[in-house]
Amino acid sequence: YFKAEWLKTYTVLPPKSELHIYGASDYAVTADGGDYTVHIVVGVDHEERMYVLDLWRKQSSSDVWVDAFCDLVIEHKPIAWAEETGQIKASVGPFLTAQQIKRKAWVHREQFPTRGDKAVRAQSIRGRMALLGLYLPAGASWVPEFRSELLSFDAGKHDDQVDALGLVGQLLDRITAGKKPPDKTPKPLKGIEALTLDKLFEDHERELRR
């Protein structure tokens, strides 16, 4: 479903001030149900390349993953965050909102209904990756498992990370390119005449003739 050549790596990240940052979560309703809660944070640069900035994945109770969500929002300051409507209604929506307010983890959370199968819901992000790739941080501890899950989808044991990435795809019509980096090429100074050795000699001879 996903192809290895779509997954690229980066060692140097553009400054965060130049990225537009977004997030998404696939929430596990129960701590011992076999599913993982996954939070993913991505940044988009001025050429619309998408970088995975952070990923949190754990089988945990809701209080743990809600705190992890707030930590990521506070650290990365995303523009918007995608989640599934059903998961919020069925579990801890009010608690999550209360913790956001308590910790001042401000972000607009966008809910999307669960429609179709997982492959259909991942189609938007799959198409984007086919055109522009997805950049992963070289050396991050979670990258091998993330790659493995994407490349084995939809026959792998787990698909929580694919679900979270698919929710990023649901935001694609709202995602905008980041800021273009400033031009660091030196600009010529206006109104200032460049001095050359010939010019200095000419000025000196002119002074002598006066």
Side-chain angles (χ1 to χ4, degrees), residues 56 58 149 153 168 193:
W56 187 94
K58 197 171 184 179
E149 184 174 309
F153 181 77
V168 173
E193 186 178 2

Side-chain angles (χ1 to χ4, degrees), residues 5-210:
E5 57 265 30
W6 299 349
L7 299 171
K8 308 174 187 301
T9 58
Y10 66 87
T11 53
V12 179
L13 185 70
K16 280 194 177 181
S17 60
E18 296 173 8
L19 298 175
H20 284 176
I21 298 175
Y22 303 85
S25 294
D26 181 63
Y27 305 129
V29 178
T30 58
D32 55 356
D35 291 331
Y36 288 83
T37 291
V38 177
H39 306 306
I40 188 169
V41 182
V42 302
V44 182
D45 70 8
H46 70 287
E47 294 184 343
E48 300 199 32
R49 290 180 293 238
M50 183 177 286
Y51 303 81
V52 180
L53 306 180
D54 216 333
L55 185 138
W56 187 94
R57 178 178 183 261
K58 197 171 184 179
Q59 290 175 318
S60 67
S61 58
S62 57
D63 60 313
V64 174
W65 63 251
V66 165
D67 270 342
F69 164 82
C70 291
D71 289 342
L72 291 171
V73 169
I74 292 168
E75 178 181 353
H76 295 286
K77 299 177 175 55
I79 296 169
W81 200 281
E83 59 192 13
E84 285 189 359
T85 305
Q87 292 174 315
I88 286 299
K89 286 183 178 178
S91 55
V92 293
F95 175 61
L96 176 54
T97 300
Q99 287 299 101
Q100 278 189 263
I101 295 170
K102 179 181 177 181
R103 296 194 53 192
K104 296 181 172 56
W106 311 122
V107 67
H108 170 64
R109 288 169 31 220
E110 185 90 19
Q111 282 93 39
F112 295 92
T114 304
R115 291 180 296 200
D117 61 23
K118 293 175 181 289
V120 171
R121 295 198 297 274
Q123 192 71 350
S124 290
I125 194 66
R126 180 176 183 260
R128 191 186 199 286
M129 288 168 60
L131 293 173
L132 297 170
L134 181 70
Y135 292 79
L136 310 176
S141 60
W142 51 263
V143 166
E145 202 160 356
F146 181 78
R147 285 178 57 93
S148 176
E149 184 174 309
L150 261 64
L151 297 179
S152 63
F153 181 77
D154 55 351
K157 182 178 179 181
H158 296 289
D159 53 22
D160 314 278
Q161 295 174 100
V162 173
D163 287 344
L165 186 61
L167 281 164
V168 173
Q170 300 296 300
L171 282 175
L172 286 187
D173 61 346
R174 299 160 176 78
I175 286 176
T176 58
K179 299 176 183 176
K180 188 174 181 179
D183 184 6
K184 297 181 180 179
T185 305
K187 295 181 180 179
L189 298 174
K190 295 181 180 180
I192 299 178
E193 186 178 2
L195 291 176
T196 64
L197 191 59
D198 289 341
K199 181 73 168 55
L200 289 173
F201 278 128
E202 289 175 6
D203 290 345
H204 179 66
E205 290 177 357
R206 191 178 300 111
E207 287 295 323
L208 290 176
R209 288 196 295 269
R210 285 182 178 176

